[in-house]
Amino acid sequence: QQQQQQQQGEKGRWKNEEVVLLLHITGHFVNEELKTIGEVARFCGVNRHGRAIDKQLKRVLHYHRWINRDLEDIKRQIHSILASDTYGHLNPEQVRLLDLAR
């Protein structure tokens, strides 16, 4: 059952390390579609479904529809959140995976 849940994606509360990684990914791939951001997030170890990623980004970044987002506003929000140290920092493995994904 645990293996099945891992294949389907995690459920429940987001860990801070997942959120900070998702914000870094979104900052680097802000010009891309959410589907691409979700694929990169999964590559980097965020084991969540695409819809869960979309919902989490909406909670944190407060956009209405990704397709209509203001790129500069999203970048400012991400920078502000990461600068506030609310979610912590990337660990070395996350940095390595993000570098590979870019």
Side-chain angles (χ1 to χ4, degrees):
Q1 184 179 2
Q2 185 180 13
Q3 186 179 22
Q4 183 181 10
Q5 184 178 2
Q6 286 178 344
Q7 288 174 349
Q8 293 176 351
E10 294 288 323
K11 294 185 178 181
R13 279 189 87 98
W14 282 70
K15 299 175 193 140
N16 282 350
E17 53 268 15
E18 289 179 304
V19 177
V20 74
L21 180 56
L22 184 58
L23 288 172
H24 278 278
I25 291 166
T26 304
H28 288 290
F29 293 91
V30 72
N31 294 323
E32 302 294 330
E33 295 180 17
L34 281 173
K35 180 179 177 182
T36 303
I37 291 172
E39 290 168 358
V40 172
R42 281 186 289 284
F43 172 80
C44 291
V46 177
N47 190 22
R48 302 284 181 156
H49 290 288
R51 180 73 181 123
I53 289 170
D54 176 32
K55 287 173 72 174
Q56 184 65 18
L57 285 174
K58 276 187 178 180
R59 280 186 207 107
V60 175
L61 300 176
H62 310 289
Y63 61 87
H64 180 63
R65 295 194 63 206
W66 188 253
I67 198 161
N68 298 331
R69 70 199 175 281
D70 179 334
L71 294 176
E72 291 307 313
D73 183 52
I74 294 289
K75 289 176 187 177
R76 270 192 303 278
Q77 285 185 64
I78 290 171
H79 178 74
S80 176
I81 292 167
L82 293 175
S84 73
D85 222 18
T86 303
Y87 296 106
H89 301 283
L90 295 178
N91 65 43
E93 178 63 9
Q94 290 172 321
V95 171
R96 186 185 73 77
L97 287 170
L98 184 55
D99 286 341
L100 282 175
R102 284 190 262 174

